[in-house]
Amino acid sequence: MASTIENRRRTPELRSFGVVVRRLREAAGLKQVDLADLVNVSRAYIGHVELGKTRCRLDFAKRLDDALQANGEIVAAWNKLLESIKSVKYAAYFVNFPKAESTASLIRVYETHIVNGLFQTEAYAGEIVKDADILNTRMNRQKQVMSEPAPKIFVVLEESVLYRKVGTREIMQEQLEYLLELSERPGVRLQVLPTVYVEDARSAFTIATQADRSDAAYLVTGTGGMTSADPDDLANLHERFASLQAEALNVRDTRALIRRVIEERWT
């Protein structure tokens, strides 16, 4: 039986969209695995869309529409889904950021002290999160966000994170090697920020941008964090991130630095 959390995620709007996809897939005489092959995703992802467990992005809805020769019916269902979601109004500081992150088409991250949760190995994350259930939730969230079709992810990482020992030397070596691997992915742009002063960049934050260009942000605070969709906050964070990118090493120099730190400190 589905968990309470899972049932809450399956909103009527998501389920309705999933029903449309399933109906058209079956009408085309295709199994989930057949459709998955046509649109280059996993069978499980197709299953999640059809069950209303996840909200796909518009570009993926278009791919489904083309693959099933649906003549715009899936795109129309996606647009109806989006309008239904937008009609639900929340206060600016009451936004479900994990949900916003999981459906984003672009994620921008600035990290100051540790590797961002999306890029953590399980061993590294296990040194930070001691509760097994919370650790499992973190790793599942990572898989959900990073699975295809994955969003574009731009990350600016403080150089000190590469040297800050979390766990053992082996854990740090594995973590930095994983950062190198991720940096080679087409949709990922990883930049390291040298130890320089950047005005107003005092704490870590993440901005999740949806296909309709709406934004939500998560800001780390001294007691945890806060989520915001306030336009003034977001405008400020966009400006901060642009400044951070300008001061950071480029992608190629970032890879070279990470390789050097692995060899000199963690091997």
Side-chain angles (χ1 to χ4, degrees):
M1 189 173 79
S3 67
T4 302
I5 292 175
E6 185 178 68
N7 284 329
R8 281 203 297 267
R9 288 176 180 163
R10 297 182 190 181
T11 65
E13 294 83 4
L14 284 173
R15 287 197 296 269
S16 295
F17 177 79
V19 167
V20 172
V21 174
R22 180 175 180 177
R23 172 174 56 79
L24 290 168
R25 173 181 61 78
E26 291 177 343
L30 298 175
K31 296 181 179 179
Q32 288 183 346
V33 67
D34 299 324
L35 179 56
D37 288 341
L38 287 173
V39 294
N40 197 31
V41 297
S42 67
R43 186 209 61 78
Y45 187 76
I46 296 295
H48 286 173
V49 170
E50 291 187 353
L51 289 172
K53 288 184 178 181
T54 187
R55 172 187 158 196
C56 68
R57 293 188 290 275
L58 177 57
D59 61 336
F60 185 69
K62 289 178 179 177
R63 284 160 57 190
L64 287 174
D65 202 289
D66 291 340
L68 294 173
Q69 300 181 354
N71 298 317
E73 188 173 349
I74 291 178
V75 173
W78 190 93
N79 287 328
K80 182 178 180 181
L81 165 65
L82 182 63
E83 289 302 316
S84 297
I85 292 172
K86 288 168 67 175
S87 68
V88 180
K89 304 298 181 182
Y90 295 101
Y93 288 92
F94 189 72
V95 180
N96 185 332
F97 190 76
K99 181 177 179 180
E101 188 179 56
S102 69
T103 57
S105 59
L106 170 64
I107 298 174
R108 281 163 286 185
V109 178
Y110 169 51
E111 278 293 353
T112 58
H113 290 84
I114 59 174
V115 174
N116 183 266
L118 291 178
F119 284 8
Q120 290 175 3
T121 64
E122 188 166 357
Y124 184 97
E127 294 294 324
I128 298 167
V129 179
K130 300 300 184 181
D131 184 285
D133 290 337
I134 296 176
L135 176 61
N136 185 58
T137 297
R138 174 168 297 191
M139 302 315 293
N140 285 337
R141 160 184 159 246
Q142 182 185 110
K143 289 177 183 177
Q144 181 180 9
V145 175
M146 300 295 287
S147 62
E148 294 296 334
K152 290 184 178 179
I153 305 178
F154 295 167
V155 180
V156 175
L157 185 70
E158 291 274 3
E159 184 177 356
S160 60
V161 175
L162 305 179
Y163 297 93
R164 184 169 293 112
K165 187 177 181 181
V166 175
T168 64
R169 182 184 297 269
E170 290 75 20
I171 287 174
M172 288 301 300
Q173 181 179 350
E174 179 190 40
Q175 177 61 74
L176 266 60
E177 288 174 347
Y178 186 51
L179 287 179
L180 282 176
E181 177 190 330
L182 289 170
S183 75
E184 298 285 353
R185 294 190 183 184
V188 175
R189 298 292 183 271
L190 175 62
Q191 295 176 261
V192 166
L193 179 71
T195 307
V196 296
Y197 173 72
V198 179
E199 187 177 2
D200 294 328
R202 301 185 181 93
S203 60
F205 61 86
T206 301
I207 308 169
T209 303
Q210 305 301 311
D212 64 358
R213 312 313 300 167
S214 61
D215 291 320
Y218 181 80
L219 299 86
V220 175
T221 67
T223 56
M226 61 173 286
T227 302
S228 176
D230 182 86
D232 291 336
D233 287 342
L234 290 163
N236 181 276
L237 291 174
H238 284 304
E239 184 176 337
R240 287 191 204 180
F241 196 79
S243 296
L244 289 162
Q245 283 187 306
E247 294 286 354
L249 299 176
N250 64 40
V251 173
R252 290 175 296 281
D253 289 345
T254 288
R255 293 193 190 111
L257 174 61
I258 294 175
R259 291 190 187 100
R260 187 165 68 249
V261 174
I262 291 173
E263 294 173 2
E264 296 177 355
R265 192 174 182 93
W266 304 122
T267 300

